[in-house]
């Protein structure tokens, strides 16, 4: 056996699994897999016999890598590769930020920024293309407003995107009194520019690569890439061929690709252990923030509305039925309890025993108790995002005190044997798993969030949180036998940490750093501690 194939770790504080809790001091990997987990002495003997590389962990903590079952890699890629303009207080400082950013990446094709708000500008006006031209004129620039419904672009960007289209009557391109374009665009025009820069092949390839490396650096070893489009899937394949993906990607394609998938006859599992198609992501309703999540009773802070479905019920039933029959895993976005009723009703139309298909509901933020029991009976999985509890601090206002206990009922789901998996919906919430773990345990209590008063008994323990972020999450990808714990024979997907999460305070969880990330036996991220020892 080749020596470089075998890697051994001794004197560690190694969590093999969290349910049941099992700890060891030694770990040996061979190729892609875990060969041994147990005592340090035995690990050392094994590594020496196989002539492998032995690393003394000096007491460091090792655990299975995090599995984030729901995130948006393409959106993360764009946000990591753009200028953050939140809180900028003047057009002058916006220009300064733009100029500085450009000086740092002269080779970029597009400059993208987001987050500005003209209400904060001391000039008391909207920025225009001439402002941007003063900062950067030779590369196309688009800076989205904080809401994402408006943006300002420079003259170069206007010339590129509008060279072949007639915008003279398009109300989404704002004009000054003399009729000339101001560079401010809204709604469909913003989407048009977005599509344009996202179609830039080399930019997106670089951006996706960066976002995968960022993911690995946080200790996340597998992701569920939600609403993946054809362009991203193609880029991921190219990245995989050229340099290998640092993180395992499980793909849930956009709903607009359902017909393509069905006509190709692709089933769940197509791909390999690095990049694999699971199924499709579809939407049943909107969001609580925008009051478009579909509730069974009106919003407490806007009694005129119950929210709304984003798809006709018949269409939802048809897609669910057809995708199920085609062997695809469904991931259905449903936040309001009425939307969840409809989704449950649609699944009931499938005559087969479908619990072993592991179809998923995404978010399920507002859940009545009897719905939890139905979910359990049907074997539907729930992808939860504990960090919503902190970000959506206004959630109780939306549903009122009476329904407050229906919000994010993680513990009730577990107690009713509903399978849950942790996720971030990144970039909606931070990708850092420790933020999610913290939120699942604290439920906003320390931040003084109203919800914590009503649902403190829905808090999870650290053990539970880590289980549903590792082996519990692996279940979503049908991979609980292959990953999520550090037992021999499983993929060597694990991380090393600078602190033991069980030895620190709740607040200190947030400062835990990943020192090493290994995916299928390959080191994909290494901090300083390991740089010296591995090379
Ligand atoms: Zn999402």
């Amino acid at each position: 056996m080749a020596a470089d194939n075998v890697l051994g770790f001794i004197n560690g504080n190694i969590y093999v699994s969290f349910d049941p809790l099992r700890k060891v001091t030694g770990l040996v990997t061979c190729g892609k897999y875990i060969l041994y987990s147990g005592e340090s002495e035995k690990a050392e003997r094994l590594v020496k016999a196989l002539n492998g590389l032995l690393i003394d962990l000096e007491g460091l903590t090792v655990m299975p890598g995090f599995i984030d079952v729901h995130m948006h890699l393409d959106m993360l890629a764009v946000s990591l590769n753009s200028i953050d303009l939140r809180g900028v207080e003047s057009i002058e400082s916006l220009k300064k930020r733009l100029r500085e950013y450009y000086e740092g990446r002269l080779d970029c094709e597009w400059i993208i920024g987001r987050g500005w708000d003209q209400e904060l500008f001391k000039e008391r006006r909207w920025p225009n293309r001439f402002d941007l031209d003063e900062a950067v004129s030779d590369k196309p620039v688009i800076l989205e407003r904080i809401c994402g419904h408006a943006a300002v672009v420079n003259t170069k960007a206007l010339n590129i995107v509008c060279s072949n289209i007639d915008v003279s009557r398009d109300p989404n391109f704002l004009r000054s009194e003399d009729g000339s374009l101001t560079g401010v665009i809204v709604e469909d025009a913003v989407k048009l520019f977005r599509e344009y820069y996202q179609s830039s092949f080399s930019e997106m390839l670089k951006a996706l690569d960066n976002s995968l490396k960022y993911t690995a650096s946080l200790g996340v070893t597998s992701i569920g890439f939600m609403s993946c489009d054809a362009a991203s899937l193609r880029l991921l394949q190219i990245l995989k061929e050229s340099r290998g993906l640092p993180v395992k990607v499980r793909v849930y394609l956009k709903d607009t690709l359902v017909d393509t998938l069905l006509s190709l006859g692709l089933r769940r599992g197509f791909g390999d252990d690095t990049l694999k198609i699971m199924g499709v992501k579809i939407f049943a309703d909107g969001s609580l923030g925008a009051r478009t999540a579909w509730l069974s009773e009106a919003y407490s802070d806007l009694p005129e509305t119950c929210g709304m479905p984003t798809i006709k019920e018949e269409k939802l039933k048809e897609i669910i039925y057809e995708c199920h029959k085609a062997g695809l895993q469904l991931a259905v976005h449903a936040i309001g309890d009425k939307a969840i009723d409809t989704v449950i009703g649609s699944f009931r139309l499938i005559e087969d025993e479908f619990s072993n298909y592991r179809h998923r509901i995404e978010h399920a933020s507002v859940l009545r108790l009897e719905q939890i029991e139905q979910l359990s009976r049907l074997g539907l999985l729930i992808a939860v995002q504990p960090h919503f509890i902190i970000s959506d601090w206004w959630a109780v206002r939306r549903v009122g005190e009476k329904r407050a206990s229906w919000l994010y009922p993680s513990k009730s789901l577990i107690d009713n044997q509903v399978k849950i998996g942790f996720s971030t919906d990144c970039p909606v919430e931070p990708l850092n798993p420790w933020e999610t773990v913290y939120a699942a345990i604290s439920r906003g209590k320390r931040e003084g969030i109203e919800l914590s008063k009503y649902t403190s008994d829905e808090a999870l323990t650290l053990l539970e949180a880590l289980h549903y972020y590792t082996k519990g999450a692996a279940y979503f990808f049908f991979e609980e036998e292959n990953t999520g714990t550090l037992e021999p024979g499983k993929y060597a997907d694990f991380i090393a940490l600078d602190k033991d999460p069980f030895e620190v305070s709740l607040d200190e969880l947030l400062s835990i750093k990943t020192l090493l990330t290994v995916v299928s036996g390959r080191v994909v991220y290494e901090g300083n501690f390991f740089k010296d020892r591995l090379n």
Side-chain angles (χ1 to χ4, degrees):
M1 199 172 296
D4 58 2
N5 222 1
V6 173
L7 205 53
F9 299 86
I10 55 166
N11 302 322
N13 173 43
I14 302 169
Y15 291 91
V16 173
S17 64
F18 301 106
D19 182 19
L21 178 63
R22 254 197 76 214
K23 281 175 77 173
V24 296
T25 57
L27 183 75
V28 182
T29 70
C30 177
K32 289 181 174 183
Y33 304 101
I34 293 165
L35 185 63
Y36 173 78
S37 55
E39 297 158 16
S40 270
E41 299 73 27
K42 205 163 165 190
E44 187 167 352
R45 280 204 301 279
L46 198 57
V47 173
K48 282 183 175 154
L50 295 169
N51 201 21
L53 178 66
L54 191 65
I55 294 166
D56 188 340
L57 286 170
E58 298 171 26
L60 279 183
T61 296
V62 164
M63 62 169 269
F66 286 103
I67 297 171
D68 188 325
V69 300
H70 178 135
M71 58 86 77
H72 300 270
L73 191 66
D74 48 353
M75 285 158 66
L76 173 67
V78 172
S79 81
L80 283 180
N81 290 275
S82 58
I83 320 173
D84 182 0
L85 298 168
R86 282 172 299 179
V88 170
E89 287 173 348
S90 67
I91 292 174
E92 274 316 305
S93 51
L94 180 108
K95 280 154 63 176
K96 186 163 170 277
R97 293 275 281 279
L98 181 56
R99 217 174 289 127
E100 284 167 2
Y101 182 86
Y102 180 40
E103 278 158 16
R105 7 181 129 196
L106 293 169
D107 62 333
C108 64
E109 275 179 49
W110 273 80
I111 298 174
I112 303 152
R114 55 182 59 209
W116 59 267
D117 181 354
Q118 80 286 352
E119 304 287 337
L120 304 175
F121 292 164
K122 67 168 189 270
E123 291 89 348
R124 297 261 150 239
R125 66 171 176 89
W126 286 60
N128 59 45
R129 65 182 162 117
F130 307 107
D131 297 315
L132 270 50
D133 290 348
E134 281 172 30
V136 176
S137 60
D138 57 341
K139 295 274 178 172
V141 177
I142 174 170
L143 307 179
E144 289 189 19
R145 195 184 173 276
I146 188 151
C147 60
H149 293 271
V152 58
V153 298
N154 68 352
T155 306
K156 179 89 179 172
L158 272 178
N159 290 342
I160 291 177
V161 175
C162 302
S163 61
N164 295 318
I165 49 169
D166 177 18
V167 298
S168 58
R169 282 163 206 275
D170 192 333
N172 292 315
F173 288 79
L174 305 195
R175 290 168 185 277
S176 53
E177 276 166 18
D178 66 3
S180 61
L181 292 167
T182 61
V184 174
I185 54 173
V186 296
E187 302 298 346
D188 283 350
V190 179
K191 285 186 200 155
L192 177 74
F193 275 74
R194 239 185 242 157
E195 277 165 24
Y196 205 95
Y197 69 72
Q198 286 186 8
S199 69
S200 156
F201 176 83
S202 61
E203 282 292 280
M204 271 314 277
L205 193 72
K206 224 184 332 174
L208 276 179
D209 192 31
N210 286 343
S211 57
L212 285 166
K213 285 178 183 149
Y214 172 73
T215 304
S217 76
L218 291 172
V220 179
T221 51
S222 295
I223 53 170
F225 178 2
M226 288 291 141
S227 305
C228 175
D229 62 9
S232 298
L233 183 61
R234 180 164 157 257
L235 291 170
L236 284 170
Q237 292 174 75
I238 292 166
L239 274 180
K240 181 169 142 330
E241 278 165 27
S242 59
R243 59 198 93 166
L245 302 179
V247 170
K248 294 178 175 175
V249 182
R250 305 295 176 246
V251 173
Y252 295 83
L253 289 155
K254 248 188 159 82
D255 48 7
T256 48
L257 291 168
V258 167
D259 290 340
T260 313
L261 269 172
L262 296 179
S263 62
L264 281 170
L266 292 187
R267 298 172 69 84
R268 174 184 57 74
F270 184 82
D272 59 21
D273 61 341
T274 319
L275 178 62
K276 196 188 281 180
I277 291 176
M278 303 304 295
V280 290
K281 159 87 179 293
I282 55 178
F283 285 86
D285 68 347
S287 73
L288 273 181
R291 298 189 189 84
T292 49
W294 194 19
L295 303 177
S296 54
E297 287 169 43
Y299 277 82
S300 296
D301 57 356
L302 194 66
E304 301 90 275
T305 185
C306 296
M308 65 189 100
T310 50
I311 184 170
K312 289 211 171 73
E313 199 170 335
E314 282 315 307
K315 183 76 188 156
L316 179 73
K317 285 175 179 162
E318 186 190 313
I319 296 182
I320 288 182
Y321 189 81
E322 285 187 358
C323 290
H324 169 78
K325 288 289 176 196
L328 293 163
Q329 188 186 22
L330 283 144
V332 189
H333 166 117
I335 287 182
D337 64 324
K338 182 68 182 168
I340 294 161
D341 279 336
T342 316
V343 174
I344 290 175
S346 305
F347 276 110
R348 283 224 170 94
L349 294 178
I350 301 172
E351 306 91 41
D352 326 339
E353 169 50 59
F354 65 82
S355 61
N356 41 8
Y357 284 78
R358 304 189 189 178
H359 294 310
R360 335 173 3 165
I361 296 181
E362 311 303 303
H363 317 304
S365 306
V366 186
L367 265 176
R368 307 187 306 269
L369 181 63
E370 90 266 14
Q371 287 182 309
I372 298 179
E373 287 156 2
Q374 290 168 4
L375 293 169
S376 175
R377 273 198 298 279
L378 291 169
L380 288 166
L381 280 48
I382 306 292
V384 299
Q385 299 76 29
H387 205 270
F388 280 0
I389 297 166
I390 292 177
S391 299
D392 299 358
W393 50 269
W394 34 258
V396 175
R397 283 189 213 161
R398 293 283 189 274
V399 299
E401 282 180 34
K402 195 179 100 254
R403 290 180 287 183
S405 64
W406 298 359
L407 287 164
Y408 314 113
S410 315
K411 184 74 179 165
S412 298
L413 284 166
I414 296 174
D415 289 346
N416 283 280
Q417 281 79 48
V418 177
K419 297 266 199 287
I420 65 166
F422 269 32
S423 61
T424 58
D425 206 6
C426 168
V428 177
E429 302 296 331
L431 190 63
N432 181 352
W434 297 106
E435 300 245 16
T436 308
V437 170
Y438 168 84
I441 300 170
S442 72
R443 287 187 74 89
K445 198 171 175 187
R446 299 165 99 81
E447 290 76 15
I449 287 166
E450 211 183 344
L451 179 67
S452 63
K453 286 206 298 250
Y454 300 96
T455 64
S456 57
D457 48 355
E458 295 291 347
L460 301 191
T461 63
L462 179 58
L463 264 184
E464 287 167 332
L466 293 176
H467 171 71
Y468 291 107
Y469 226 147
T470 53
K471 189 177 179 183
Y475 186 85
F476 278 57
F477 302 151
F478 295 74
E479 291 174 16
E480 71 281 6
E481 299 300 326
N482 310 326
T483 183
T485 67
L486 303 183
E487 283 145 345
K490 286 200 167 188
Y491 280 112
D493 296 348
F494 61 90
I495 56 176
L497 307 169
D498 67 340
K499 296 188 196 96
D500 180 346
F502 291 90
E503 296 294 329
V504 299
S505 68
L506 191 52
D507 287 333
E508 280 173 311
L509 283 177
L510 294 168
S511 65
I512 294 180
K513 295 272 175 296
T514 300
L515 303 179
L516 178 78
T517 306
V518 177
V519 174
S520 286
R522 187 162 77 99
V523 174
V524 291
Y525 171 76
E526 53 188 336
N528 285 334
F529 179 90
F530 288 95
K531 276 204 173 97
D532 305 338
R533 288 161 177 82
L534 281 163
N535 300 311

